[in-house]
Amino acid sequence: KLNSVKANAQRKEYRWRKIKYQAPSIDFIASVEEGTEDRCDWTPYMYFKQFVTDEMLEETAEQTNLYSVQKEGKSVNTTAKEIEQVLGMYIHMGLVQMSSVRAYWEMETRLPAVCHVMSRDRFLKLLTVIHFQDNLSVSDDAKKDKLWKLRPWLQKLGEQFLCIPPEESHAVDEIMVPFKGKSHLRVYMPAKPHKWGFKMWGRAGQSGFLYDFDICQGAENPDREKSEVGVTGEAVLKMTSTLPAGKNHKVFADNYFTSVPLVQHLKERGIHYVGTIRMNRMKHCTMMDEKELKKNGRGSMNFRVNQENNIVVRWYDNKAVNLISSFVGTEPVGNVKRWDRKSKTHIMVPRPAIVETYNKFMGGVDLLDMLSALYKFSFRSRRWYMYIWWNTVTVAVINAWNLYRRDQKKLNPKKKPVPLRRCGRPLSSPEETPTPPGKRPSCSVPLDVRRDGIDHFPTWETQQRCKHCTGNHFSHVYCEKCEVHLYLNKDRNCFCAYHKMK
């Protein structure tokens, strides 16, 4: 069906005229979202496990043990829980970044949230053998996929992302995973902040939630006939193929992807499009020259409409920009504040609705990139695909946070959501950072941490009030992991009661 649509698009000639644009009715039909009420008591850990599931961790542990036997002759004997601890340590390293991995265990710079979870040598050992696919059982056909070593993880993670009902507006854009080593998938993009790395296609909502992604592997079949939408247009078709048809979703992309046949094909699926476009991709469309627009001053515009009711608008600000849309035109014309160098003052410049809409909804992937760069720790590895894996872990954290914010907006809109980086207790010793007098430190421990049954070791500290007791009991016994005091003697065992599963 897709090939027939492309063939029809190739045969079609578009006629462009300066006539009044009739905007279609494009009311969004939202998907029925289930599970928001079920998630009302979820912790950050539970949101993360919505995307990185137990099944994925167990399979990774199994493949890691198998790979260690194949590589070294003996199993590393890891478990899903230990792989989960590695991910938690990675997230903490992103929050508190140091010059090297070993610095987290050194006496001068040690970070308890990392060094108390696992020994340094064990952590470094696991980094060298984490694996996702059995090298010996993969067919030659499967190895044509350049990402076959990571494919099971990518496939399952993508399925979890798609389980979340999509927003109305989506941006399709490139995502760069920084990498300067040797790999046949590495590309050079001089216009990007990270010029060397792996290129991904991504579809993200306005909130920065990544719904679909794919790693670019170059030309898969260079001998096949080129389609009218082009290679980049096919990337948009692939990213939007997982969007439900007929719901009036809106898709935004820049001129690297946009073509007239692409706009028409999405429109036939009930998906509307706005994007910047290059003039050489619009045959038989004559627009006012940029010099003429410049004479008319900033804010001047020109437009054309074709027989499919798609509109092309050329708007002049500092320079001319061309946009195409299937659902929004020039009306209503608003105003935007600009600095005028001649008069040395701010002026109001007319701005068509298509430009305002594009600027408002195009930044989903850029927002995701910004959030990813905030707390990402870079591990050095000889296995190039590990850089992509660490990036997917970071994206899973951001998606979990975005899902939490969406739930909070529906369940408790007046409550301020927890920020992406949640600060906890001081990392230094009590002597170095004393607690202010009259204020008791808050010790809210998530239930999934409190009752996981792992590494809850009692130590002897300065006496403080028991966290579990309702009475006025004080104790020297302190849980290192939960960072709370718990009453413990021959008559009363709050330490056990506090950590026990109900």
Side-chain angles (χ1 to χ4, degrees):
K1 185 179 178 181
L2 187 61
N3 291 333
S4 65
V5 170
K6 292 175 184 175
N8 291 335
Q10 286 181 332
R11 289 193 294 268
K12 194 154 194 169
E13 290 289 338
Y14 294 97
R15 302 186 306 275
W16 299 92
R17 297 179 295 168
K18 191 171 183 178
I19 58 175
K20 187 174 181 181
Y21 178 70
Q22 298 291 336
S25 176
I26 47 134
D27 292 335
F28 176 57
I29 305 169
S31 303
V32 179
E33 184 168 357
E34 298 178 358
T36 304
E37 296 293 335
D38 299 335
R39 297 193 292 263
C40 62
D41 295 325
W42 275 24
T43 62
Y45 170 78
M46 295 165 78
Y47 275 102
F48 179 71
K49 292 302 289 290
Q50 169 75 25
F51 304 112
V52 179
T53 63
D54 289 327
E55 180 191 353
M56 294 165 65
L57 295 170
E58 286 166 6
E59 186 175 341
T60 302
E62 183 182 336
Q63 293 299 330
T64 299
N65 290 332
L66 181 61
Y67 177 67
S68 64
V69 172
Q70 295 170 354
K71 182 182 178 182
E72 300 171 349
K74 62 179 181 180
S75 175
V76 75
N77 288 328
T78 190
T79 61
K81 197 69 183 177
E82 196 172 36
I83 298 296
E84 195 174 81
Q85 288 175 331
V86 169
L87 298 184
M89 294 165 75
Y90 165 72
I91 293 167
H92 273 286
M93 289 174 175
L95 292 174
V96 184
Q97 300 207 16
M98 297 187 189
S99 57
S100 67
V101 176
R102 292 176 179 269
Y104 292 93
W105 283 268
E106 292 172 359
M107 292 302 295
E108 297 289 333
T109 57
R110 65 202 320 262
L111 182 66
V114 172
C115 65
H116 287 177
V117 175
M118 189 181 298
S119 69
R120 180 199 64 190
D121 291 346
R122 179 64 175 175
F123 181 73
L124 294 175
K125 177 66 178 177
L126 288 174
L127 290 186
T128 64
V129 293
I130 286 179
H131 216 67
F132 313 94
Q133 179 86 280
D134 183 6
N135 293 344
L136 304 180
S137 65
V138 181
S139 64
D140 292 336
D141 234 14
K143 285 186 179 180
K144 290 179 182 178
D145 176 11
K146 296 175 184 177
L147 281 156
W148 62 270
K149 287 195 174 186
L150 197 57
R151 184 57 62 188
W153 176 274
L154 295 177
Q155 187 174 346
K156 287 184 173 63
L157 187 68
E159 289 170 1
Q160 294 304 119
F161 287 173
L162 289 172
C163 287
I164 305 303
E167 304 166 41
E168 179 180 0
S169 301
H170 298 256
V172 176
D173 207 347
E174 300 161 294
I175 300 171
M176 284 292 287
V177 180
F179 177 71
K180 290 186 177 180
K182 293 182 179 180
S183 170
H184 45 291
L185 290 182
R186 188 190 67 166
V187 297
Y188 176 68
M189 301 187 70
K192 297 290 183 181
H194 297 285
K195 295 174 173 54
W196 292 99
F198 304 110
K199 184 166 74 172
M200 296 170 57
W201 311 121
R203 172 171 62 83
Q206 188 186 7
S207 64
F209 190 104
L210 185 67
Y211 291 94
D212 204 356
F213 66 94
D214 188 39
I215 288 87
C216 181
Q217 301 188 38
E220 296 178 7
N221 188 3
D223 298 328
R224 70 173 183 154
E225 186 181 351
K226 292 183 179 179
S227 69
E228 186 76 359
V229 297
V231 175
T232 54
E234 287 180 352
V236 177
L237 295 181
K238 187 172 184 179
M239 291 294 99
T240 55
S241 64
T242 47
L243 271 176
K247 302 285 187 181
N248 287 333
H249 283 284
K250 284 81 178 176
V251 174
F252 300 80
D254 60 27
N255 60 20
Y256 183 64
F257 301 91
T258 309
S259 65
V260 181
L262 172 66
V263 177
Q264 188 56 32
H265 174 53
L266 291 175
K267 190 175 180 179
E268 290 170 3
R269 286 193 56 224
I271 299 173
H272 299 280
Y273 187 94
V274 172
T276 53
I277 189 168
R278 301 170 184 175
M279 287 303 294
N280 60 7
R281 293 184 182 178
M282 295 186 294
K283 293 181 180 178
H284 314 300
C285 182
T286 55
M287 301 281 283
M288 189 181 290
D289 189 71
E290 185 171 348
K291 291 181 180 179
E292 296 179 52
L293 290 172
K294 189 175 182 179
K295 286 179 184 178
N296 295 336
R298 292 173 73 172
S300 57
M301 67 188 81
N302 193 225
F303 67 91
R304 296 290 185 274
V305 181
N306 69 6
Q307 70 269 35
E308 300 294 344
N309 200 36
N310 299 324
I311 184 172
V312 171
V313 178
R314 173 173 278 191
W315 178 61
Y316 185 82
D317 188 10
N318 287 323
K319 61 180 181 178
V321 60
N322 309 301
L323 299 100
I324 188 170
S325 169
S326 61
F327 74 95
V328 60
T330 58
E331 302 293 334
V333 178
N335 289 304
V336 62
K337 187 186 286 187
R338 291 287 188 266
W339 177 257
D340 184 54
R341 285 185 293 179
K342 289 183 179 178
S343 62
K344 294 184 179 179
T345 184
H346 286 100
I347 59 172
M348 300 306 292
V349 175
R351 180 178 63 177
I354 186 174
V355 178
E356 183 182 0
T357 305
Y358 178 81
N359 290 341
K360 184 177 180 181
F361 296 105
M362 180 55 199
V365 175
D366 293 334
L367 177 59
L368 173 71
D369 282 341
M370 184 273 290
L371 293 172
S372 299
L374 286 177
Y375 312 120
K376 183 185 290 185
F377 185 83
S378 297
F379 288 112
R380 296 178 66 88
S381 176
R382 294 184 179 181
R383 297 181 293 161
W384 57 266
Y385 55 88
M386 292 299 293
Y387 290 80
I388 298 175
W389 184 61
W390 290 119
N391 184 75
T392 63
V393 173
T394 304
V395 171
V397 173
I398 294 166
N399 275 5
W401 180 65
N402 274 317
L403 181 60
Y404 154 76
R405 283 203 310 165
R406 187 191 299 189
D407 290 348
Q408 280 291 109
K409 192 174 181 180
K410 291 184 178 180
L411 296 171
N412 197 352
K414 293 183 179 179
K415 184 180 178 182
K416 189 177 180 181
V418 175
L420 181 59
R421 174 175 181 154
R422 184 175 184 176
C423 299
R425 292 164 63 94
L427 297 176
S428 51
S429 65
E431 290 77 15
E432 293 171 334
T433 53
T435 304
K439 290 188 177 180
R440 187 180 171 194
S442 65
C443 306
S444 179
V445 183
L447 285 177
D448 43 23
V449 175
R450 173 175 156 186
R451 298 173 179 172
D452 62 6
I454 298 174
D455 296 339
H456 293 281
F457 297 120
T459 59
W460 194 261
E461 297 286 347
T462 306
Q463 184 174 271
Q464 287 190 26
R465 193 185 304 274
C466 176
K467 179 67 178 176
H468 185 67
C469 291
T470 54
N472 195 23
H473 294 98
F474 288 79
S475 175
H476 288 280
V477 178
Y478 178 80
C479 177
E480 281 190 336
K481 184 171 183 178
C482 298
E483 299 183 335
V484 294
H485 284 77
L486 297 164
Y487 196 71
L488 176 60
N489 62 15
K490 63 185 180 63
D491 299 319
R492 187 181 187 90
N493 190 345
C494 289
F495 193 93
C496 180
Y498 183 80
H499 296 109
K500 193 174 182 180
M501 290 292 293
K502 291 183 181 178

